[in-house]
Amino acid sequence: MPARETGAAQSPAAGEPDRARAEAACLAEGLARRDRRAIARAISQVEDETPIGRELLDLIFARAGSARRIGVTGPPGSGKSTLVHALARRLRQQGERVGVLAVDPTSPFTGGAILGDRVRMPTASEDEGFFVRSMASRGSLGGVASATYEASEVLAAAGFDWILIETVGVGQSELEVVELADTVLLVLVPESGDAVQTLKAGIMEIADVFVINKYDREGGDRLQRDIAVTLELTHWTRPGGWVPPICPAVATAEEGIEEVMAEARAHLAWLDGDPARRERIRQEKAERRLRVLAERVLLRRLWDGAGLERRLAEALPRIAAREISPYRWLASLPLDLAAARGGRG
Ligand SMILES: Nc1nc2c(ncn2[C@@H]2O[C@H](COP(=O)(O)OP(=O)(O)O)[C@@H](O)[C@H]2O)c(=O)[nH]1
Ligand SMILES: [Mg+2]
C-alpha cells in the first residue's frame, strides 16, 4: 500500500509519455537542422512504432506537407533501383534535396554500390542533400514495410524536396504506393509481356507515368505501342482525366531520364492546376490512410486483447491432429473490443 503512494512507484509509468515527448521534440529539432543521425534515428523510431516515433509523427505533421513523393514500382528486375538513382542524380544536379526509400525485400539497397560505377551515387556522407534508406519488411500484422509512409513524413520534415519511393510491384504493395505517392511511375520492360496482360492484372491502373525501361533491348517499341493502344481502347484515364504518358528509357545509360522527370513534373503540375481536384485527391488519400491506420490499431488491439498468440499456439497441435476444426476455434475467440480492453490491462 505505501508503495502506491510514493512517487517512485508511479513515476516510471507516469514519466514515460513525458520522456517520449521530450525525446521526440529533440528528434524533431534534429530534423529541422537536417541532422543525418537524427533522420536515421527518427526513421527507426517510426519504423519500430515506438512511443517516441508516434509523438514525433504528431509533432512534424504540420510541416511535412511540401515534399514531392514519387512512387516507383514495377516487376522485380525491371530497373527500378537504377532508375531511382538516375532520377536522384538528375535532381541533385538541379540542386534539389532527394531522399530515397526502398521497399524491396528482394534487393536491399546498399546506397549505390549495388549499381556498379555507371550510376553510382555519392554515399550519404559525401552529399548532405541525398539520403537513402532501405525499409525492412514486416511480419504478418504490418504487411510489407507498412511504415514507409511514416518514413516519408520524416524525410519531408527534414527538408527533402523530393522523396523517391521504390516498391517492388507485387500484389498489395502496388496499391500502397498509390496511397503514399503523389505520382506513380510504373516501370515495365520489353520482356514484361504484352500490355493487355498487365492491364488484366490490374497493374496498369496505378500508373501516372509509364516508363518502358531497357529500351535498348528488343521489343520496346512494340510494348510502347501495345500500351498506347490499350490505353486508347479502354479510354483509360486516371481519376480526374490524366492520361498517363509513356516514356522509353535506358536507366543504365541514363537515357530518357530527363523526359521521365519532365512527365512526373507535368503530372504534379496537373495535380496542382485545379485546387478543388487537388483537395479532393488529398482527402481521398487521407481517408484511405486513416482507414489503414485505424485498422492497424484495431487489429493489434484485438489480436493482443484476445491473447491470440497464446491461443494460436495452444490450438495448433489440436487443429493439426483434427481434434478441433479451425472454424470452431475461430468461433471461440473473444473478438470484441471489451475483451480487447480487458486483455490489455
Ligand atoms: N539493358 C539494360 N539493363 C538495365 C537497364 N536498367 C537496369 N538494368 C539492369 O537490370 C538489372 C536490374 O536492375 P535493378 O535496378 O536492380 O532492378 P529492380 O529490381 O527493378 O530495382 C540490373 O542488372 C541493371 O543493371 C536498362 O535500361 N537496360
Ligand atoms: Mg530494386
Side-chain angles (χ1 to χ4, degrees):
M1 263 314 187
R4 272 186 63 88
E5 280 150 18
T6 66
Q10 280 186 6
S11 67
E16 205 59 32
D18 287 342
R19 198 182 56 82
R21 216 165 296 139
E23 290 209 22
C26 184
L27 274 181
E29 200 249 326
L31 294 183
R33 276 188 285 110
R34 302 178 171 182
D35 176 72
R36 303 190 75 85
R37 285 177 57 191
I39 298 169
R41 228 190 118 226
I43 293 178
S44 297
Q45 294 289 331
V46 300
E47 204 170 19
D48 296 343
E49 295 179 41
T50 64
I52 297 172
R54 276 191 291 273
E55 286 290 341
L56 178 68
L57 288 167
D58 176 58
L59 276 176
I60 64 178
F61 183 73
R63 63 181 163 95
S66 59
R68 297 306 210 168
R69 294 167 223 233
I70 308 289
V72 180
T73 192
S78 55
K80 298 179 296 297
S81 300
T82 317
L83 179 70
V84 160
H85 273 79
L87 290 170
R89 246 162 79 98
R90 192 57 49 103
L91 286 165
R92 286 302 294 137
Q93 284 161 3
Q94 294 163 355
E96 310 266 2
R97 291 168 49 80
V98 185
V100 173
L101 296 171
V103 193
D104 184 353
T106 62
S107 67
F109 244 95
T110 52
I114 191 176
L115 298 164
D117 287 327
R118 270 185 292 182
V119 201
R120 211 184 91 76
M121 287 295 294
T123 59
S125 54
E126 290 163 17
D127 178 3
E128 67 85 39
F130 180 65
F131 191 94
V132 180
R133 174 76 168 228
S134 193
M135 300 297 294
S137 49
R138 287 298 180 81
S140 56
L141 282 184
V144 175
S146 56
T148 308
Y149 184 81
E150 285 73 16
S152 78
E153 290 279 286
V154 169
L155 290 181
F160 288 98
D161 306 301
W162 296 82
I163 300 167
L164 309 180
I165 303 158
E166 178 191 346
T167 62
V168 65
V170 184
Q172 195 58 32
S173 55
E174 280 139 19
L175 301 175
E176 284 169 9
V177 79
V178 172
E179 254 112 271
L180 49 90
D182 300 308
T183 298
V184 174
L185 313 183
L186 176 61
V187 184
L188 298 173
V189 286
E191 50 266 47
S192 304
D194 70 320
V196 182
Q197 281 309 113
T198 317
L199 182 67
K200 275 196 193 136
I203 298 172
M204 272 173 87
E205 295 164 30
I206 67 166
D208 295 311
V209 177
F210 286 96
V211 179
I212 302 183
N213 193 37
K214 307 199 184 182
Y215 212 77
D216 52 325
R217 294 203 178 158
E218 198 76 20
D221 47 352
R222 217 200 71 197
L223 178 61
Q224 183 172 16
R225 230 171 18 243
D226 285 352
I227 295 172
V229 167
T230 308
L231 290 179
E232 211 156 284
L233 284 178
T234 55
H235 301 285
W236 177 252
T237 56
R238 298 281 289 144
W242 172 258
V243 181
I246 309 167
C247 299
V250 184
T252 37
E254 294 196 58
E255 285 171 22
I257 306 305
E258 198 65 63
E259 289 77 3
V260 172
M261 206 54 235
E263 294 296 358
R265 284 185 192 273
H267 179 252
L268 290 165
W270 173 84
L271 283 177
D272 285 345
D274 179 342
R277 186 182 54 214
R278 182 183 58 189
E279 196 51 35
R280 198 187 63 239
I281 291 174
R282 267 192 196 158
Q283 285 194 21
E284 282 168 8
K285 290 195 182 198
E287 183 188 345
R288 284 196 293 263
R289 194 71 217 148
L290 287 173
R291 286 181 186 278
V292 167
L293 288 173
E295 280 170 19
R296 210 189 287 171
V297 170
L298 275 176
L299 184 60
R300 179 141 311 144
R301 287 206 181 157
L302 280 170
W303 192 273
D304 294 346
L308 272 178
E309 284 309 326
R310 178 178 52 78
R311 286 171 193 272
L312 202 66
E314 283 167 5
L316 275 178
R318 299 185 62 204
I319 291 173
R322 293 196 178 262
E323 284 170 26
I324 58 165
S325 77
Y327 317 101
R328 180 165 300 278
W329 179 72
L330 280 172
S332 77
L333 295 177
L335 294 182
D336 60 69
L337 276 172
R341 247 197 317 275
R344 288 189 79 214

